[in-house]
Amino acid sequence: MKVIAFLGSPRKDGNTELLLNEAIKGVKVSGSAVQIFNLNFMRISPCQDCGGCDETGKCIVEDEMSQIYNAIRTADRIILASPIFFFGLSAQAKIMIDRCQAFWCEKYLLKKPIPEGKFGRKGLLLLVGGMEKEAGIKCSETTARAFFRTISVPEHKTLSFLGIDAKGAILGHPTALKDAYEAGKELVNI
Ligand SMILES: Cc1cc2nc3c(=O)[nH]c(=O)nc-3n(C[C@H](O)[C@H](O)[C@H](O)COP(=O)(O)O)c2cc1C
């Protein structure tokens, strides 16, 4: 089973990364490898709305997004992990998602959704926010759902934690790391 993960936090060893690492440990119990994309370090331009993908479903911008297009197309399981920034996903995550407009054209204009493999396609969304405001989860989750639908991932689980602000604060949460580990295990359970 092919599993890919997007890390949307710029903070090294931050709460999102700690959570994602636990989810990955859970995935690896099944023997599946995980390809991780640390979006903060990738050269990916924002979507230019140039229309270059309208008729082909292929983005014409040449940058490191090309690795991600291939990975998304062939993945069975997709993890998106992001901190909540200004009530939404981080810019790092959002830039990658906007570039998936090429998949939107392929799916909805050309009527060619990404075919699923024998394991189907499932997602996991991990969110961490420093404030106790549910709106941050709602907004991020809405964008993430649109992302998953566009890349033909019909179902996903969301794990979110609020009130986690300082670097590493997630380590003091009573269940978060275990929850992420279990969610990773469940993601690849067939
Ligand atoms: C630019 C920026 C914007 C933020 N906006 C929000 C927000 O709208 N809602 C919230 O709950 N937390 C917000 N936070 C707090 C982060 O979500 C929180 O510190 C989180 O734990 C960061 O995760 P990380 O350690 O993985 O980077 C913001 C932090 C930054 C740096």
Side-chain angles (χ1 to χ4, degrees):
M1 190 177 301
K2 181 172 169 184
V3 185
I4 63 172
F6 296 107
L7 175 59
S9 170
R11 188 151 68 167
K12 170 132 184 54
D13 301 324
N15 300 312
T16 311
E17 189 171 11
L18 291 167
L19 264 187
L20 178 59
N21 287 344
E22 288 306 305
I24 288 171
K25 275 188 208 160
V27 166
K28 286 186 173 168
V29 170
S30 71
S32 301
V34 183
Q35 185 178 15
I36 303 164
F37 294 96
N38 190 338
L39 297 170
N40 195 47
F41 295 111
M42 295 186 73
R43 192 175 49 83
I44 304 175
S45 329
C47 175
Q48 301 298 304
D49 194 7
C50 63
C53 59
D54 285 359
E55 286 170 16
T56 61
K58 302 276 177 289
C59 181
I60 59 170
V61 177
E62 287 179 12
D63 60 12
E64 290 181 0
M65 190 64 197
S66 59
Q67 303 167 28
I68 292 180
Y69 288 132
N70 288 334
I72 286 179
R73 199 176 284 288
T74 53
D76 303 297
R77 300 287 182 268
I78 297 177
I79 306 175
L80 175 63
S82 174
I84 298 171
F85 281 178
F86 281 87
F87 292 87
L89 297 173
S90 69
Q92 288 83 348
K94 186 62 164 48
I95 285 176
M96 181 280 291
I97 289 173
D98 285 357
R99 289 287 298 282
C100 289
Q101 180 66 4
F103 285 122
W104 189 93
C105 292
E106 192 179 55
K107 181 172 182 178
Y108 295 107
L109 300 181
L110 305 178
K111 314 283 181 218
K112 283 190 207 158
I114 298 172
E116 60 173 37
K118 61 179 175 176
F119 304 115
R121 282 165 72 82
K122 284 188 193 164
L124 173 63
L125 173 65
L126 302 175
L127 296 172
V128 192
M131 307 192 314
E132 297 280 2
K133 303 241 182 206
E134 290 286 333
I137 297 173
K138 263 199 178 160
C139 295
S140 305
E141 153 86 8
T142 302
T143 304
R145 191 178 305 117
F147 164 62
F148 281 131
R149 284 216 186 118
T150 296
I151 60 168
S152 300
V153 170
E155 56 172 294
H156 77 272
K157 175 179 179 150
T158 300
L159 209 55
S160 56
F161 301 94
L162 291 177
I164 306 289
D165 206 10
K167 182 171 171 175
I170 198 81
L171 298 172
H173 187 283
T175 62
L177 298 184
K178 179 137 192 355
D179 293 349
Y181 176 80
E182 293 298 335
K185 254 171 91 173
E186 186 191 312
L187 183 68
V188 288
N189 196 5
I190 39 171

